[in-house]
Amino acid sequence: MFKYLLTGFLTITTLGTTPFVGKLAQNTSTKVTITATVSGSQTPPTATRPEKVINNNFEISGNNERAPIVGDGLDERTWWTFDFTHNPDISAFKRAESITSATLTIELNPRLGVNSDTVGIEGLRYVISPKIKNLPLDKVSKITINLLDTYSSEEILGALQKGEFGNFRMYYDDDAIVSFASLKLTGKVLPEDLRLKTLRADTTGTYGEYGVIPALNDVQATFKRASGSGGIRKNKRHDFSFIPKEFSINEEKPDDFYFNPFTEKRDHIQSVARIAGEENENLLALSRNARDIGDAAIYVARFDGIQSDGDAWKWASSRTSDNSSDYFYHRIPEVNHAGGIQALGSMLFVAADCDSGKKCNALIQVMDLRNPSDLSKNTQDRLVNQLVIDNSRGELNYSVSGKQITSRAAAVAAVRLQGDKHLLFVRRGSKDDESGWFFISDSTDGTNEKPKWHLLDFWHEDDLPDGTEWHEWETINFIPEAETGDIYMVAMGTLKNKSVLYRLTEIVDPITGHRDFSFEYVNGRGLNTSGIINALNLSTRYGAGIHITPNRSIVSYVTSATPKIKGISEFRYHK
């Protein structure tokens, strides 16, 4: 969440450390804010009275027998419901003793004289505002109204408590088309007896275990040892290649890779992950960014010439070939961009959305890649969980620079927590802002038949400490610390081929229980992509990832964007 000040004490911790909570004075309260938005078209469809018109979140009905057309903005009432129920702070808001701020924002297009137009809360008197009377005709305008100028705090709280708590019904009369409305409520909230606990990673998982990544004894030292931190030419590297056949093992035929050497337009590999604990430890998952909806996919390349114990492939017990052409292919039908991925054993988390001007709801898919050669399971069978970024949890009820955020998912990081739930960080990947969400599963392993995920926090780059290095990361992977349960994140995806290690931090409000997450910079390192590999256009920008070995070391993989030969470079640690 964006940085903000709270009265009372805050618990500020690094994940895994024991929080300190100061004693709260009796009857101490704090301010909590919730926001909800609704939207519709500026040119809604029309109907004939008494029929009603549904304009997305708005319902329009005629209120004058002499005006038979409904939806044209003349002599009609527009209803809508602000839904606060998915706001992360709605539980705390139930303890609000008073409303200290109530700001209504409306976008409307007056069609006739609006001197008598009003807006109101269902069941209460209407608001007559001079801001409405002075609006120009046939032009979309935005106005803000302080509802506390008309209604008391008790009346607004009563409207919130009507029916299901958090559904707030309003209307507009009568000569304008309403296309957007938002309501921001701030309340004075009483404390609750909370036992605060920071989220800690599960550190008991073993190598290759489904749904878990092994914890490292010292994440910072291991990251540094992986390549000699800061020394861009000190990396030890070995190169592999993946040249896919026309048809996959599961008889899927991918669309041809598009490549234009004179422009930046190309299909490419976006992210890479080793699949631990399966077959001969010779599987590599690669996400595909494509032009057309339905061509985003996951390659699971099988390197038959390699038999490994999970360590770097350069040191495999048997390595007769560094090339592969066999693969499993799993399409993601509703998108064209499969982005950053992370594997927890053979559980694969995939961020997917639409880019290149296409629009859709972003997805986080969870795939079960256990026993990948079992061809009786198709792609749909292996899709065991899906988080759709569709605002069903209120995740899109945020704005940056005055613009409401959209559904995007460039990359995902995942880790199993103590208590067998999973924590996700989804980086949005918008060019306009750097932001994302934290979600937590409500099931024992995050993979039940009808999975449910809960929004913990909305994150923005402004939440980072001043001066923190941050880029448009294409791959983000969580790593747990064995002793403390701290959660670290390795971020990759720059044209300069730099990897950065962050530590996840958490701020807990002891009154509301709301958690604010962010990242603390720890270290950065470069990957040596000089030499012949440059001919393959190798770059973390076009596909990278990390692998935790059985001896708890870090191996990095970087792929090329070249369509015919996918060069894969393995950066291993120093023995």
Side-chain angles (χ1 to χ4, degrees):
M1 187 72 71
F2 289 88
K3 298 173 183 175
Y4 59 95
L5 296 176
L6 294 169
T7 59
F9 289 86
L10 285 179
T11 303
I12 304 178
T13 71
T14 297
L15 289 180
T17 60
T18 303
F20 170 78
V21 182
K23 290 185 178 180
L24 297 170
Q26 188 174 6
N27 294 328
T28 298
S29 61
T30 190
K31 291 183 178 180
V32 175
T33 298
I34 57 176
T35 303
T37 63
V38 291
S39 62
S41 172
Q42 295 177 3
T43 56
T46 58
T48 303
R49 195 176 179 276
E51 291 184 22
K52 297 178 180 179
V53 170
I54 302 301
N55 183 17
N56 197 20
N57 300 135
F58 297 104
E59 179 184 277
I60 308 170
S61 58
N63 63 1
N64 189 334
E65 293 181 355
R66 292 174 295 179
I69 303 301
V70 179
D72 62 354
L74 300 174
D75 291 324
E76 54 195 30
R77 172 168 286 192
T78 302
W79 286 98
W80 65 89
T81 301
F82 288 118
D83 184 0
F84 295 98
T85 60
H86 298 295
N87 194 287
D89 291 327
I90 191 63
S91 295
F93 214 85
K94 291 179 180 179
R95 303 192 306 277
E97 60 177 354
S98 64
I99 299 296
T100 60
S101 175
T103 303
L104 174 69
T105 302
I106 310 178
E107 288 185 7
L108 66 163
N109 184 354
R111 304 304 306 279
L112 199 61
V114 289
N115 288 336
S116 61
D117 278 18
T118 60
V119 65
I121 300 173
E122 182 181 38
L124 299 177
R125 62 196 173 279
Y126 52 77
V127 177
I128 300 176
S129 172
K131 293 183 178 181
I132 296 176
K133 293 182 178 181
N134 298 328
L135 292 177
L137 299 182
D138 295 320
K139 180 180 179 181
V140 177
S141 300
K142 179 185 289 188
I143 61 172
T144 58
I145 297 173
N146 180 8
L147 295 183
L148 287 174
D149 289 341
T150 302
Y151 305 108
S152 68
S153 169
E154 291 75 16
E155 286 175 319
I156 295 175
L157 281 174
L160 267 177
Q161 295 164 357
K162 205 172 185 179
E164 181 184 5
F165 186 90
N167 285 320
F168 195 95
R169 193 144 169 87
M170 295 195 71
Y171 65 89
Y172 181 91
D173 279 340
D174 65 337
D175 291 321
I177 295 174
V178 183
S179 56
F180 174 84
S182 70
L183 181 59
K184 183 178 181 180
L185 299 177
T186 300
K188 189 177 181 182
V189 175
L190 293 173
E192 182 181 40
D193 183 17
L194 297 175
R195 181 176 177 82
L196 296 176
K197 293 182 179 180
T198 56
L199 299 180
R200 300 187 184 185
D202 180 5
T203 62
T204 64
T206 59
Y207 177 85
E209 181 181 346
Y210 180 73
V212 69
I213 187 171
L216 302 184
N217 293 325
D218 187 334
V219 174
Q220 296 187 39
T222 305
F223 180 81
K224 184 174 182 178
R225 188 168 71 98
S227 63
S229 179
I232 197 166
R233 296 185 182 278
K234 295 180 181 178
N235 314 106
K236 293 186 176 181
R237 189 185 79 219
H238 192 79
D239 298 328
F240 300 85
S241 64
F242 170 49
I243 311 172
K245 297 176 180 177
E246 184 177 11
F247 283 93
S248 65
I249 297 173
N250 55 334
E251 298 184 347
E252 286 278 351
K253 181 181 179 182
D255 189 44
D256 288 338
F257 262 74
Y258 174 79
F259 176 70
N260 187 332
F262 302 105
T263 69
E264 294 183 355
K265 293 183 178 180
R266 64 179 68 184
D267 295 357
H268 57 268
I269 297 301
Q270 193 70 71
S271 188
V272 59
R274 277 268 300 267
I275 305 301
E278 295 298 324
E279 302 203 348
N280 293 315
E281 293 287 346
N282 58 358
L283 299 174
L284 204 64
L286 305 99
S287 60
R288 173 179 175 172
N289 183 10
R291 289 161 295 152
D292 300 324
I293 300 293
D295 285 333
I298 296 295
Y299 290 94
V300 181
R302 187 172 68 189
F303 287 75
D304 290 325
I306 296 175
Q307 294 186 18
S308 169
D309 60 1
D311 209 335
W313 282 349
K314 170 66 175 176
W315 298 321
S317 57
S318 174
R319 203 180 87 243
T320 59
S321 174
D322 292 339
N323 301 324
S324 171
S325 59
D326 287 332
Y327 64 99
F328 306 91
Y329 196 73
H330 302 287
R331 290 182 182 274
I332 307 177
E334 299 174 357
V335 299
N336 71 313
H337 173 253
I341 62 178
Q342 178 164 11
L344 304 183
S346 51
M347 178 188 287
L348 185 68
F349 290 79
V350 183
D353 63 9
C354 293
D355 64 3
S356 302
K358 299 175 175 62
K359 293 183 179 181
C360 66
N361 284 328
L363 310 169
I364 303 299
Q365 292 199 334
V366 186
M367 300 187 67
D368 181 354
L369 296 181
R370 288 177 290 188
N371 191 14
S373 295
D374 181 2
L375 300 185
S376 66
K377 292 185 176 181
N378 59 29
T379 298
Q380 217 38 47
D381 295 331
R382 295 191 177 278
L383 179 61
V384 293
N385 195 328
Q386 181 166 275
L387 165 62
V388 183
I389 310 296
D390 59 359
N391 205 31
S392 59
R393 303 156 201 85
E395 62 268 28
L396 300 181
N397 288 340
Y398 298 92
S399 60
V400 176
S401 301
K403 296 181 179 180
Q404 187 173 0
I405 63 173
T406 57
S407 181
R408 296 296 307 275
V412 60
V415 67
R416 190 169 76 183
L417 300 171
Q418 294 179 10
D420 290 333
K421 296 183 179 182
H422 280 85
L423 175 71
L424 302 183
F425 172 60
V426 180
R427 177 184 165 266
R428 289 186 58 243
S430 171
K431 293 181 180 179
D432 298 330
D433 67 271
E434 276 294 321
S435 59
W437 305 274
F438 287 90
F439 295 97
I440 190 170
S441 67
D442 68 348
S443 58
T444 55
D445 62 0
T447 60
N448 53 321
E449 184 177 353
K450 294 183 179 179
K452 292 183 179 179
W453 295 86
H454 299 279
L455 176 65
L456 285 179
D457 189 30
F458 173 67
W459 174 88
H460 189 268
E461 189 176 7
D462 288 345
D463 294 335
L464 295 170
D466 292 342
T468 299
E469 180 179 354
W470 188 269
H471 301 281
E472 295 181 12
W473 303 116
E474 299 291 347
T475 298
I476 49 177
N477 283 184
F478 279 148
I479 306 176
E481 175 102 1
E483 183 177 353
T484 64
D486 282 2
I487 299 173
Y488 289 79
M489 185 176 78
V490 174
M492 311 172 80
T494 71
L495 291 174
K496 294 183 179 180
N497 297 321
K498 189 174 184 179
S499 298
V500 168
L501 179 68
Y502 298 96
R503 179 167 44 211
L504 188 62
T505 60
E506 182 179 7
I507 300 176
V508 183
D509 177 3
I511 295 176
T512 68
H514 181 75
R515 304 172 186 272
D516 284 351
F517 295 94
S518 194
F519 300 97
E520 174 186 64
Y521 178 91
V522 177
N523 207 339
R525 62 183 173 91
L527 299 172
N528 180 10
T529 59
S530 63
I532 190 171
I533 201 68
N534 273 346
L536 298 177
N537 197 18
L538 189 85
S539 171
T540 60
R541 176 68 176 81
Y542 292 117
I546 62 169
H547 171 65
I548 305 300
T549 67
N551 64 359
R552 304 303 194 265
S553 294
I554 297 176
V555 176
S556 299
Y557 291 89
V558 183
T559 70
S560 70
T562 308
K564 299 301 182 183
I565 302 177
K566 288 137 187 81
I568 303 167
S569 196
E570 179 184 76
F571 295 86
R572 62 194 185 278
Y573 56 92
H574 296 285
K575 278 191 171 183

